[in-house]
Amino acid sequence: MATPLPIKRGLSFAYVARNLIARKLTTILTASGMALVVFVFATVLMMAEGLRHTLGGTGSYNNVVIIRQGSQTEVQSSLTREQANLIESLPGLASADRGQARITREVLVLVNLPRRDGGGLANVVVRGTTPTGMLMRPQAKIVAGRAFRPGSSEIIVGSAMTRGKIGLAIGDRVGFGLRDWTIVGVFDAGGNGFDSELWGDSEQMMQAFRRNAYSSVVVGLRDAGSYDAFARAVAAQPLLKVDIKRELAFYADQSEKLANFIAVLGQTITIIFSIGAIIGAMITMYASVANRTREIGTLRALGFRRGNIVSAFIQEAALLGFVAGVAGLVAAAFMQFVEISTTNVQTFSEVVFRLILTPAIAVQVLLFSVFMGVLGGVLPALRASRLEIVDALRSI
Amino acid sequence: MLAAYIVRLARKNMWRHRLRTGLTMAGIAVAIVSFGLLRTVVDSWYAGAELGSSARLITRNEASLSFSLPVTYAARIRRVPGVRGVTWVNWFGGIYVDDKHFFPQYAVDAGSYFDLYPEFVVPPAQLSAFQHDRRGVIVGRKLVRKYGWKIGDQVPLKGTIYPGTWSFTIRGIYGGADAKVDEGQFILHWDYVNEALKRALPSLADRAGVFVVDIDHPAQAAAISAAIDSGFANSLAETRTETQKAFQLGFIAMVDTILLAIQTVAYVVVLIMMAVMANTMAMSARERMREYATLKALGFRDSFVSLLIIGESLSLSLAGGALGIALTFPLADAFFKATRDLFLVFEVRPLTIVLQLVSALLIGLCAALAPAWSSARVRIVDGLRAVT
């Protein structure tokens, strides 16, 4: 026989899989190293996603936040009563009961509250709002106690503030602005940014902090299409030097810097780590090739081509990466129970968010893991294919 | 005697699979380097704050930093016994060009600020030029280098806290008294901002963000802080006074979750390498099962075989570790140069090197455990029959 018979189908996948099972300890060790890298990578992506989800999901599409021109955050902004009245008279706003425009004049301040773990002070957002303001955020529902009474020193707290580092409870008294405020209720806004806030009566907050200007004015649009008309009306008023944004976009923009920072930091670390994991995969695959030199020679003698051998080893490496990816992802899925409380560098205020695993992250992480495996397997696979049949069969 | 013998044998064994040994060592070196760098990042973050003087106090509004204090408090603070000088600062928070060109801007009391910060060295002629020009600014050397500014240049900033577009003239350039002083600040006149506010937003005028208090003896810091705060108790704006160091550490505490995450990750990388290294050792031991059985048949004890494996594992991990430690220093330097804006100091601490060594040792020991145990336990007959 001059030439080996061409085999079109290549080596079966079962052969590839069984090779990994045959060397259990090595497979497990390599896969667990890679799984740890996958775990770190997934966690970082989940963190950035969780932060975006929390702040990006704050507010409603049809609400518009109005702040002083250039002030960027509600805390730095101030709007006078006259400006607020002027905004109320503009066209395009939805009407609340009694035919008035749907509008809430809000005061936002940062208040230091001690952290329960003794780690200093947290800057917590205290929002002075109105009954209309509560109606305009239907996602915030009272889950314990009751709403604050307008005109009183009562406050309600977001559900994230009752857990973790701050740990407030109904009945607690919080001192700020030379007053004691009693917590009468807990609200839950479905895990978005409002959950990290304390809400009370707007006018009471203004008195307590001796201010005569609002921080922001939030209005409800009549319908989704009236934003442009409203924006034009605002721009036409020379007395209104303000920036306006849809509420959803306003809060989403406030998460960008921190989310990007987490993502960049995480990706840098992951790239460095993956070098270690790729080396691990390479060691394993080289050993796999070395141990099976005679086997490879036999396969070649049977008629399998060099390409078949390369493909089998790369499949083996990819499978190794896939197994590691799944293991790392399963471990990372448990991180969804973790809640993180940190300072948003952009607004200087405490924000609590939960890690979120999305299908997109899962796919991205699995692809990354398979890629790590393949990268580790390429060189060993090429070495395997370059073996001469005679030498390979003779080797011990 | 025995130890030297084992080391020699281990070295010979390491050399049998040059590629594998090289790869494993490279992997360990990468892990040890990243472990060292991550720890240094966290250390440096804290180190920047610890440079804060404990002979200076910072007085701010009790409610939070976003509230200011009446500037008239300065006179009352100065009367507190033990206080040598007082100045005040506002965070200006303007935007130069766009968001990405961030540098800290402080509106200061031009007459007193530089007396309290002797580490900011300004030539006397430039300082007086600054003091005589309300729109003048003094900027740090680092900013001058970064943006190519020179004395006399106009710098426009878009206000965020203080509305409008502001224009400033560079009147002086300061340098740090030593390498650890932040040379990236932009210092402008509080008076200039205040005058504009009186016209545009009277409610924000005559306010100071924080007071900086110079005291005679650092040992009295706690007593003087308490004296200042009690002077303003039950007023409309109560104060919180702490040393500059404590004030800066408070900022770091805000991002401690992120620092904790970096630290955790630093230890995870050691775990990853442990798995990779354990794999290398397991493979080597399995391939040599027949040799070990032969050694035992010749009369060597079980413990000798175990020691051989542990010796090889340790030599490999320590060699990789040493390479990693050696690489840490040039890489830390390169990292510092690339991120000059982020850190004031970036030094690899002795403790980090010790921890790097300990990690390398641990990686080597843990990796050897399973193969050493199973090789010592294997019966001679089974070992000789073993198929690799």
Side-chain angles (χ1 to χ4, degrees):
Chain A
M1 192 168 65
T3 46
L5 279 170
I7 297 177
K8 288 200 184 91
R9 273 187 56 236
L11 289 153
S12 77
F13 188 71
Y15 169 78
V16 170
R18 251 188 249 129
N19 275 325
L20 280 181
I21 299 166
R23 293 164 301 131
K24 275 190 214 78
L25 184 62
T26 297
T27 305
I28 291 173
L29 284 172
T30 315
S32 54
M34 291 167 79
L36 273 170
V37 178
V38 169
F39 173 75
V40 171
F41 186 47
T43 307
V44 167
L45 291 179
M46 285 162 67
M47 234 190 246
E49 182 64 30
L51 187 66
R52 286 208 184 95
H53 178 85
T54 295
L55 288 177
T58 306
S60 310
Y61 183 70
N62 274 354
N63 287 347
V64 175
V65 179
I66 301 152
I67 55 172
R68 198 195 63 217
Q69 204 165 54
S71 59
Q72 293 183 322
T73 62
E74 286 171 281
V75 171
Q76 291 182 358
S77 153
S78 65
L79 293 175
T80 62
R81 287 175 193 272
E82 293 74 37
Q83 286 174 316
N85 290 340
L86 192 56
I87 292 168
E88 192 171 358
S89 68
L90 295 177
L93 302 186
S95 54
D97 46 342
R98 296 193 303 275
Q100 287 167 327
R102 205 160 203 208
I103 180 169
T104 174
R105 299 133 187 257
E106 310 213 313
V107 182
L108 224 85
V109 290
L110 292 178
V111 167
N112 282 160
L113 291 180
R115 283 181 173 183
R116 248 201 322 205
D117 58 1
L121 300 164
N123 283 297
V124 176
V125 173
V126 174
R127 182 185 294 274
T129 184
T130 55
T132 317
M134 302 275 295
L135 287 177
M136 286 166 67
R137 278 91 176 215
Q139 67 271 55
K141 295 185 183 71
I142 304 278
V143 290
R146 56 179 173 80
F148 63 87
R149 272 186 322 225
S152 71
S153 298
E154 292 177 345
I155 51 173
I156 54 176
V157 300
S159 56
M161 289 287 118
T162 61
R163 302 185 295 262
K165 283 183 183 163
I166 312 290
L168 297 170
I170 291 183
D172 281 0
R173 297 170 82 79
V174 189
F176 54 83
L178 289 180
R179 261 195 223 185
D180 271 350
W181 304 76
T182 312
I183 300 174
V184 296
V186 177
F187 66 91
D188 186 276
N192 70 31
F194 290 139
D195 281 344
S196 307
E197 298 183 352
L198 270 56
W199 287 4
D201 182 79
S202 177
E203 294 296 327
Q204 290 299 310
M205 297 279 169
M206 304 235 318
Q207 279 178 29
F209 290 108
R210 267 97 192 153
R211 38 188 296 174
N212 45 24
Y214 303 107
S215 302
S216 62
V217 169
V218 183
V219 297
L221 294 175
R222 192 182 303 131
D223 51 61
S226 45
Y227 178 84
D228 292 332
F230 177 71
R232 272 197 304 277
V234 169
Q237 295 290 336
L239 285 177
L240 287 180
K241 288 192 171 154
V242 295
D243 288 336
I244 71 168
K245 234 180 228 176
R246 288 190 189 269
E247 200 177 21
L248 270 177
F250 182 81
Y251 291 107
D253 288 351
Q254 293 191 342
S255 70
E256 270 321 293
K257 266 191 191 158
L258 190 58
N260 282 346
F261 173 75
I262 292 174
V264 169
L265 182 75
Q267 275 155 12
T268 315
I269 289 171
T270 308
I271 288 170
I272 298 173
F273 281 15
S274 62
I275 297 175
I278 291 169
I279 288 175
M282 223 186 259
I283 294 171
T284 307
M285 293 310 295
Y286 267 127
S288 174
V289 172
N291 286 344
R292 297 197 317 232
T293 308
R294 255 200 295 186
E295 193 178 312
I296 294 163
T298 315
L299 288 172
R300 290 289 312 282
L302 285 173
F304 286 97
R305 290 177 168 178
R306 288 179 200 273
N308 297 138
I309 306 288
V310 173
S311 132
F313 275 98
I314 288 187
Q315 278 181 50
E316 187 177 330
L319 185 63
L320 185 68
F322 182 76
V323 169
V326 171
L329 211 52
V330 168
F334 286 102
M335 294 299 285
Q336 289 186 93
F337 298 109
V338 174
E339 207 168 50
I340 289 179
S341 179
T342 189
T343 300
N344 184 350
V345 285
Q346 229 164 327
T347 55
F348 203 60
S349 59
E350 197 78 3
V351 56
V352 180
F353 60 95
R354 198 178 277 281
L355 276 61
I356 297 174
L357 181 59
T358 61
I361 291 179
V363 170
Q364 202 179 339
V365 161
L366 280 179
L367 281 179
F368 169 73
S369 185
V370 170
F371 178 70
M372 275 201 303
V374 170
L375 218 57
V378 167
L379 290 178
L382 286 179
R383 167 184 283 195
S385 75
R386 268 196 247 110
L387 289 172
E388 289 302 326
I389 301 180
V390 190
D391 298 341
L393 285 174
R394 251 207 300 251
S395 78
I396 21 159
Chain B
M1 182 57 211
L2 179 72
Y5 190 52
I6 284 180
V7 168
R8 249 176 61 203
L9 263 180
R11 210 176 50 216
K12 285 242 161 73
N13 268 340
M14 266 166 67
W15 221 235
R16 283 164 60 178
H17 278 284
R18 265 165 243 184
L19 180 69
R20 183 189 296 171
T21 304
L23 282 174
T24 311
M25 261 171 62
I28 292 171
V30 167
I32 295 296
V33 164
S34 34
F35 175 80
L37 282 182
L38 288 171
R39 270 198 60 89
T40 309
V41 165
V42 174
D43 281 348
S44 308
W45 221 314
Y46 283 102
E50 274 162 14
L51 294 176
S53 162
S54 46
R56 273 195 296 254
L57 306 178
I58 303 282
T59 300
R60 61 171 173 110
N61 195 305
E62 213 270 334
S64 80
L65 255 180
S66 64
F67 293 92
S68 53
L69 293 166
V71 76
T72 49
Y73 278 19
R76 287 172 64 187
I77 293 172
R78 198 174 289 115
R79 285 201 296 273
V80 174
V83 170
R84 204 187 316 170
V86 182
T87 189
W88 59 91
V89 183
N90 273 3
W91 176 257
F92 185 76
I95 296 174
Y96 178 64
V97 189
D98 62 35
D99 270 7
K100 291 188 183 71
H101 298 89
F102 171 84
F103 48 84
Q105 302 131 16
Y106 299 103
V108 308
D109 178 50
S112 55
Y113 187 75
F114 287 95
D115 297 341
L116 265 80
Y117 283 91
E119 67 264 39
F120 288 11
V121 183
V122 192
Q126 293 180 8
L127 181 59
S128 112
F130 164 70
Q131 282 166 338
H132 286 98
D133 178 7
R134 218 182 255 261
R135 296 167 74 155
V137 289
I138 288 186
V139 295
R141 229 169 7 205
K142 196 171 83 181
L143 283 181
V144 171
R145 269 200 305 271
K146 187 169 171 189
Y147 294 111
W149 292 335
K150 55 188 184 302
I151 288 180
D153 278 5
Q154 297 281 323
V155 180
L157 295 181
K158 206 161 84 224
T160 59
I161 303 170
Y162 307 108
T165 299
W166 304 71
S167 184
F168 301 99
T169 315
I170 296 175
R171 290 290 173 215
I173 295 166
Y174 78 84
D178 58 58
K180 293 179 175 179
V181 175
D182 180 10
E183 292 182 342
Q185 299 183 7
F186 185 96
I187 294 163
L188 53 114
H189 278 260
W190 177 85
D191 280 339
Y192 175 43
V193 178
N194 200 45
E195 286 304 317
L197 285 179
K198 272 186 188 163
R199 274 176 272 124
L201 285 167
S203 62
L204 287 178
D206 292 324
R207 310 285 289 184
V210 297
F211 290 98
V212 182
V213 183
D214 194 18
I215 55 177
D216 289 327
H217 304 291
Q220 294 176 322
I224 296 175
S225 300
I228 293 173
D229 289 346
S230 68
F232 301 108
N234 294 317
S235 71
L236 286 182
E238 293 185 80
T239 59
R240 183 193 299 273
T241 306
E242 56 200 345
T243 62
Q244 193 181 12
K245 191 186 271 184
F247 179 74
Q248 286 171 350
L249 282 174
F251 274 94
I252 288 173
M254 290 177 188
V255 291
D256 58 359
T257 320
I258 291 169
L259 293 185
L260 186 74
I262 297 180
Q263 253 162 338
T264 315
V265 156
Y267 289 99
V268 170
V269 69
V270 174
L271 277 182
I272 294 174
M273 267 340 282
M274 232 177 238
V276 171
M277 172 86 195
N279 182 26
T280 304
M281 286 320 295
M283 280 186 322
S284 300
R286 202 188 39 234
E287 285 163 11
R288 294 183 205 144
M289 205 47 99
R290 263 191 292 189
E291 287 168 34
Y292 295 143
T294 314
L295 280 175
K296 283 199 213 174
L298 288 174
F300 286 100
R301 296 188 182 182
D302 293 353
S303 59
F304 179 81
V305 172
S306 304
L307 280 176
L308 206 57
I309 295 175
I310 294 173
E312 185 180 344
S313 178
L314 276 181
S315 324
L316 195 53
S317 70
L318 286 179
L323 183 66
I325 292 172
L327 283 175
T328 304
F329 292 91
L331 276 176
D333 275 349
F335 186 80
F336 187 32
K337 286 209 180 76
T339 59
R340 267 219 85 96
D341 294 344
L342 276 177
F343 301 98
L344 288 181
V345 275
F346 199 78
E347 275 170 2
V348 184
R349 292 197 175 176
L351 178 66
T352 303
I353 298 165
V354 171
L355 284 176
Q356 281 178 310
L357 258 180
V358 171
S359 311
L361 219 91
L362 238 121
I363 291 175
L365 268 182
C366 291
L369 280 185
W373 190 65
S374 63
S375 309
R377 233 179 36 134
V378 76
R379 281 168 48 207
I380 296 175
V381 203
D382 294 337
L384 286 174
R385 251 205 310 241
V387 187
T388 52

